[in-house]
Amino acid sequence: MHFLVTGGAGFIGSNFVFYMMENHPEDQITCLDALTYAGNLKTLEPVMDDPRFTFVRGDIADREQVFDLFGKNSFDVVVNFAAETHVDRSIEDPGIFLRTNIIGTQTLMDACLEHKVSRFHHVGTDEVYGDLPLDRPDQYFTENTPLKASSPYSASKASADLLAMAYHRTYGLPVTISRCSNNYGPYQFPEKLIPLMISRALADEPLPVYGTGKNVRDWLYVEDHCKAIDIVLQQGRIGEIYNIGGHNEKTNLEVVKTILRQLGKPESLIHFVEDRKGHDLRYAIDPEKIRNELGWYPETSFEDGIRKTITWYLSNRAWWEELISD
């Protein structure tokens, strides 16, 4: 099959490309990425010379380019990772989030309809559900939890999800959606919590932690996420949403302290800063639907995943040090 992977030079998209090429050697992958600040062509160097892989630089909201690309290829499946994702940046400049995450998704789906693509899979986020109270550990997000976006970023992702389901119902577009919890692992852009803390701890710089650090996130190792999407593509029901969670809930402060402990750095590096506007308290996904229907479950504990992640950043300093210097 021929896959179009959008946003494949980013963190999760590149890991998905590597996973698919290793586990599905019979398939062909075209990657479409605008190479914004979070997209890094060097990330894809391991596959750039593989004849099964093609890279195209482009913007999913550029209708002319997208339709031209579809016209020159016979894509069977489109997996849409392309998105603006950083909450702080969305608070500062919402417009680019609306353009990429909503208009870009619409453009891709219009091209899928015209060229009769057999599956459009949209990669979403648990942030569309808003947050959960810290004092109710029994509560989890399910696929039926009402959408309650808290930031321009999550609002744009919720809009894209609704649009994708509308395209399925109105036009019969074969859509599936997955909503994941916080990913971590190799090749994550160093503005995100875990790589940011690793890089600053290694430089003995202050580690900025919002508020009191008690906000809770469910952490999902990126390879587990890639496996889940692969299973949804193979076995998932058209028109369905699947929550993909790690069952690894940690406070931000726990995550930071774990990183410091593994790097042998003092907790005195922690520096509490003014809280983010509208900061969600707790994310927690119930992944029972994907487990019961498709047999997927997260295989990587947070302890194993964070150790592998730290080892990768220690072994690949040139990759992220260049990004920081830029």
Side-chain angles (χ1 to χ4, degrees):
M1 294 207 299
H2 191 173
F3 288 78
L4 174 64
V5 178
T6 66
F11 165 44
I12 306 176
S14 62
N15 277 277
F16 182 73
V17 168
F18 298 147
Y19 173 85
M20 293 296 287
M21 294 195 71
E22 180 179 351
N23 291 277
H24 297 278
E26 71 284 0
D27 292 333
Q28 180 181 355
I29 293 179
T30 295
C31 169
L32 176 65
D33 197 295
L35 295 182
T36 58
Y37 75 95
N40 188 352
L41 197 55
K42 289 187 176 181
T43 301
L44 295 171
E45 283 182 352
V47 297
M48 288 297 284
D49 294 330
D50 193 311
R52 298 173 297 142
F53 179 79
T54 302
F55 177 80
V56 178
R57 182 170 185 173
D59 181 353
I60 62 170
D62 184 335
R63 195 171 187 87
E64 182 177 353
Q65 183 181 21
V66 167
F67 273 76
D68 181 65
L69 181 64
F70 274 73
K72 293 177 179 177
N73 296 271
S74 297
F75 297 125
D76 300 293
V77 176
V78 174
V79 185
N80 181 31
F81 291 95
E84 297 286 344
T85 64
H86 197 252
V87 174
D88 289 343
R89 289 178 184 265
S90 80
I91 293 171
E92 295 170 4
D93 183 13
I96 185 63
F97 285 74
L98 305 185
R99 181 180 183 276
T100 299
N101 299 352
I102 303 175
I103 301 302
T105 301
Q106 178 212 357
T107 301
L108 288 172
M109 292 192 297
D110 285 343
C112 287
L113 282 172
E114 181 165 314
H115 294 275
K116 303 187 187 318
V117 169
S118 62
R119 177 73 67 88
F120 177 78
H121 182 77
H122 184 65
V123 180
T125 172
D126 62 352
E127 294 194 39
V128 300
Y129 298 122
D131 61 356
L132 297 167
L134 293 175
D135 59 354
R136 290 295 305 274
D138 57 312
Q139 291 186 357
Y140 294 89
F141 297 139
T142 73
E143 290 79 2
N144 295 320
T145 300
L147 304 188
K148 192 179 179 182
S150 303
S151 69
Y153 159 61
S154 56
S156 68
K157 291 294 288 182
S159 300
D161 287 2
L162 292 171
L163 190 61
M165 295 306 291
Y167 265 58
H168 168 64
R169 178 165 180 170
T170 302
Y171 305 112
L173 183 66
V175 167
T176 46
I177 295 174
S178 57
R179 293 175 178 154
C180 66
S181 57
N182 283 41
N183 279 222
Y184 68 104
Y187 297 107
Q188 188 169 27
F189 193 75
E191 72 180 355
K192 299 293 187 175
L193 178 67
I194 287 177
L196 176 66
M197 297 301 154
I198 293 172
S199 64
R200 294 184 73 90
L202 288 172
D204 293 312
E205 296 176 348
L207 276 58
V209 176
Y210 280 130
T212 61
K214 293 182 180 180
N215 303 71
V216 173
R217 299 294 181 261
D218 173 23
W219 292 96
L220 175 67
Y221 192 62
V222 66
E223 185 178 6
D224 287 344
H225 186 192
C226 295
K227 291 178 181 178
I229 293 174
D230 185 21
I231 291 172
V232 171
L233 292 174
Q234 294 185 60
Q235 304 174 32
R237 292 183 289 138
I238 300 296
E240 291 293 320
I241 297 169
Y242 294 92
N243 280 351
I244 304 172
H247 267 324
N248 283 310
E249 287 186 56
K250 304 287 180 184
T251 67
N252 290 344
L253 191 57
E254 285 179 293
V255 172
V256 173
K257 288 183 176 181
T258 299
I259 292 169
L260 289 171
R261 186 166 57 250
Q262 294 207 17
L263 291 175
K265 299 292 184 175
E267 292 186 6
S268 59
L269 288 174
I270 296 173
H271 177 59
F272 294 100
V273 300
E274 182 180 353
D275 209 354
R276 168 193 287 162
K277 296 177 181 178
H279 200 177
D280 288 336
L281 295 175
R282 172 175 172 256
Y283 301 152
I285 274 183
D286 179 357
E288 288 305 302
K289 178 177 178 178
I290 191 172
R291 179 166 188 156
N292 293 337
E293 288 191 14
L294 308 181
W296 177 88
Y297 58 93
E299 300 174 14
T300 308
S301 68
F302 183 77
E303 291 70 23
D304 289 341
I306 196 66
R307 184 169 55 251
K308 290 194 289 186
T309 300
I310 290 173
T311 298
W312 187 89
Y313 278 91
L314 288 172
S315 302
N316 294 271
R317 293 182 70 128
W319 181 85
W320 56 266
E321 285 179 342
E322 181 178 348
L323 293 176
I324 290 176
S325 66
D326 288 343

